[in-house]
Amino acid sequence: MWSYRPELTAATLAQHQAIITACPEEVVVVSPRSPAKSSDDRPQRAQLAQERRIEQQKIIKKLSAQQWLQADIAKKVGVSTRTVQRFLAQPDFPEKHLYPVSGESILTPYKQQVISWWNAGIRRTSVLMTLLEPLGYTGTRRTLQRYIRGLRSAQGLPPGRARGSKPGAKVIDPQSPPLTPRRAAYLLVLRPENRGVEDTELLEQIAKQHPDLMVLIDLTKEFLKLLRQQKGKAFDTWLLKALTCKIQPLRKFAEGLMDDYAAVKAAMMTTVSNGTVEGLNNKLKMLKRQMYGRAGLDLLAKRFILTS
């Protein structure tokens, strides 16, 4: 069966990359602090150093129990004699993480919930703290306050309660990379039932940014609907819209469909597909490439039958 190529949508969206990257306008992104590159991996390095000290202390105490000389222990472990003495005198190091393994804040698992409450108008730190604790948050009020300051800064709100101020733009704290034409195209070709609420809202915001983007999104949705719901009778109407639109890649795409009009329309009106045949053909080609120069047709036939 003929299928729609998302690369076409991505190519068209790329012509409006500046708009896509900045979309949506109604959303304010919380910008995390950007520490210096040398301190990016500080939590991980600290954790590794702690694990190394724990292992060294275990070895030192084990060798000392076996009556090893401290000088020999120091040489074996790769530390100074003074370090050996200090590790022997100290109690066992606790085997617990100094930082979260990923270097994330203790608030990270709860940020999206805080954002949801914030956008709903719940903005007092004391109230948010009360709501978070039953969910398992064990961090301090100060940690939450720092995050709240970031939300206020993102919305341009003054510090403090700012009572009576108008609701600001919707705030998000993205856990995924910025929106790109390719990702926008991927969201567009997804089945509606596979899109999240945020994905649907994002597509709606993209459509509002430029008339061409609205036309592209509408025509793409219509075409996918023709394919998925077998509505070939409406194909001619869609084709006329695409051929007369101002979007050049889409017009070329429609012109290409005209060259194979009968097959494309048949794909929209029947459930019969040559997908199985094409799959077997690709499999045969793969086996042939694997055996190139090393076997004849007889062995190729046997391998194909045994792997089917």
Side-chain angles (χ1 to χ4, degrees), residues 4-5 10 19 109 140-141 168 181 208 238 245 253-254 271 286 294:
Y4 180 77
R5 293 176 296 127
I19 296 176
T140 63
R141 182 188 177 110
K208 295 178 182 178
W238 181 91
C245 74
F253 173 71
T271 57
M286 179 194 69
R294 291 175 291 174

Side-chain angles (χ1 to χ4, degrees), residues 52 56 59-60 71-81 83-84:
R52 185 171 61 253
Q56 286 176 342
I59 296 174
I60 288 171
D72 294 336
I73 295 176
K75 186 176 180 180
K76 174 71 174 178
V77 179
V79 296
S80 65
T81 305
T83 299
V84 172

Side-chain angles (χ1 to χ4, degrees), residues 87 141-142:
F87 279 14
R141 182 188 177 110
R142 185 176 179 181

Side-chain angles (χ1 to χ4, degrees), residues 24 58 84 100 112 171 198 229 246 268 278:
K58 287 181 178 180
V84 172
Q112 296 307 313
V171 180
E198 293 182 358
Q229 299 183 14
K246 297 180 180 180
M268 298 177 179
E278 290 297 330

Side-chain angles (χ1 to χ4, degrees), residues 7-69:
E7 292 82 2
L8 169 71
T9 303
T12 308
L13 289 170
Q15 298 177 0
H16 304 276
Q17 183 164 359
I19 296 176
I20 298 298
T21 305
C23 185
E25 291 182 344
E26 287 80 1
V27 171
V28 178
V29 179
V30 180
S31 300
R33 296 180 180 179
S34 300
K37 185 175 181 181
S38 60
S39 63
D40 286 345
D41 58 348
R42 181 179 61 85
Q44 289 84 352
R45 288 188 288 108
Q47 186 61 48
L48 290 174
Q50 174 70 356
E51 292 175 356
R52 185 171 61 253
R53 285 192 293 270
I54 292 173
E55 186 63 24
Q56 286 176 342
Q57 189 187 48
K58 287 181 178 180
I59 296 174
I60 288 171
K61 289 192 173 183
K62 181 178 179 180
L63 295 178
S64 178
Q66 297 175 5
Q67 305 301 317
W68 279 49
L69 297 176

Side-chain angles (χ1 to χ4, degrees), residues 111-299:
K111 283 183 178 180
Q112 296 307 313
Q113 183 60 67
V114 173
I115 288 289
S116 177
W117 288 329
W118 179 270
N119 288 326
I122 304 174
R123 300 185 173 184
R124 293 184 59 181
T125 305
S126 58
V127 176
L128 292 172
M129 191 73 179
T130 302
L131 293 174
L132 279 176
E133 288 176 345
L135 299 181
Y137 175 64
T138 58
T140 63
R141 182 188 177 110
R142 185 176 179 181
T143 299
L144 179 60
Q145 287 175 330
R146 284 198 300 267
Y147 189 64
I148 294 301
R149 284 199 295 269
L151 299 182
R152 290 190 176 279
S153 176
Q155 288 188 310
L157 297 176
R161 297 181 181 178
R163 290 182 177 177
S165 59
K166 295 182 179 179
K170 179 182 178 182
V171 180
I172 63 171
D173 193 349
Q175 305 299 316
S176 57
L179 183 64
T180 62
R182 182 175 293 276
R183 178 169 170 250
Y186 170 75
L187 294 179
L188 184 54
V189 299
L190 272 179
R191 291 181 178 273
E193 60 269 23
N194 293 333
R195 291 195 204 113
V197 176
E198 293 182 358
D199 296 336
T200 302
E201 292 178 353
L202 197 54
L203 289 177
E204 292 175 356
Q205 293 298 327
I206 293 174
K208 295 178 182 178
Q209 302 306 311
H210 195 281
D212 287 351
L213 294 177
M214 181 176 293
V215 172
L216 173 66
I217 291 174
D218 288 343
L219 288 178
T220 300
K221 287 181 177 179
E222 287 181 23
F223 189 79
L224 292 172
K225 189 175 181 180
L226 297 179
L227 283 176
R228 292 166 177 169
Q229 299 183 14
Q230 304 289 298
K231 295 187 176 182
K233 293 181 179 180
F235 175 55
D236 292 344
T237 302
W238 181 91
L239 199 57
L240 182 61
K241 292 180 183 179
L243 288 170
T244 56
C245 74
K246 297 180 180 180
I247 305 174
Q248 184 178 6
L250 196 55
R251 288 203 312 271
K252 289 185 176 180
F253 173 71
E255 291 170 0
L257 295 183
M258 291 293 294
D259 296 336
D260 204 12
Y261 174 83
V264 175
K265 191 164 185 176
M268 298 177 179
M269 301 182 70
T270 178
T271 57
V272 177
S273 171
N274 66 339
T276 303
V277 176
E278 290 297 330
L280 292 174
N281 188 28
N282 289 335
K283 185 175 183 179
L284 180 60
K285 290 179 179 179
M286 179 194 69
L287 292 173
K288 183 179 178 181
R289 286 194 297 269
Q290 289 178 343
M291 299 168 55
Y292 180 75
R294 291 175 291 174
L297 292 177
D298 292 339
L299 182 56

